[in-house]
Amino acid sequence: METPIPIDSNNPVPAWLLAAHVACGFPSPAEDHAQTRIDLNKVLIQHPDATFFMRVRGPSMRDAGIDDGDWVVVDRALEAQHKDIVLAVVDGDYTIKYLSRRAGRIRLLPANPTFPPIEFRDGQLLVVWGVVTWIIKPTRPVALRRAA
């Protein structure tokens, strides 16, 4: 996994926002075609000085909707809670997993049954680096995105 990239929240990242909601089930009539501009930093970032982007490698969180090549937004200012998806450092390597805290036992759980949970031995160090707050994923294959 790559190194986290700090976010430059001083420069807005504008995008168009349609004034209507979209149905993922049955189609609904378009309410309005009004558009406004939004700043993606304001949508994605709660704590600018503690937020980072990171590219995901590997399929261990596939069933949580986090796939190889996706980007995640990681907020270091949030306190990790049981069942949060976290960016952790285990034995010097970054990993993204569900944090499990039960009966005084801390584990990192993958969202893919082909990967084992990460259990900690005495003396082994776990650092919860931050909480994953957003997943950014492409909807087109890389070859199509590059050709556009």
Side-chain angles (χ1 to χ4, degrees):
M1 194 170 291
E2 299 173 7
T3 304
I5 302 168
I7 291 175
D8 179 5
S9 61
N10 294 322
N11 294 315
V13 180
W16 289 106
L17 172 67
L18 295 174
H21 290 91
V22 63
C24 283
F26 294 103
S28 65
E31 295 173 13
D32 192 357
H33 294 291
Q35 299 175 354
T36 58
R37 296 285 268 179
I38 61 170
D39 178 357
L40 290 179
N41 284 331
K42 292 180 180 173
V43 174
L44 300 175
I45 301 167
Q46 184 179 0
H47 302 103
D49 293 334
T51 301
F52 294 77
F53 281 109
M54 192 161 196
R55 173 114 13 173
V56 174
R57 294 283 178 237
S60 72
M61 293 300 286
R62 175 195 69 200
D63 295 346
I66 303 175
D67 295 303
D68 186 72
D70 290 350
W71 287 86
V72 290
V73 179
V74 179
D75 190 333
R76 297 195 75 187
L78 298 176
E79 182 177 343
Q81 305 292 318
H82 175 66
K83 295 186 177 180
D84 274 344
I85 296 175
V86 298
L87 174 63
V89 181
V90 179
D91 296 332
D93 292 324
Y94 291 108
T95 187
I96 293 177
K97 300 285 184 286
Y98 283 110
L99 178 65
S100 172
R101 289 182 177 160
R102 290 200 163 211
R105 184 170 148 199
I106 296 175
R107 300 187 309 158
L108 295 175
L109 306 177
N112 181 334
T114 63
F115 287 80
I118 298 175
E119 314 261 352
F120 294 91
R121 302 176 305 272
D122 286 341
Q124 191 174 21
L125 181 63
L126 163 68
V127 175
V128 175
W129 202 86
V131 176
V132 174
T133 55
W134 290 89
I135 304 160
I136 302 170
K137 59 177 34 259
T139 58
R140 299 182 92 190
V142 172
L144 289 176
R145 284 183 278 142
R146 289 190 178 142

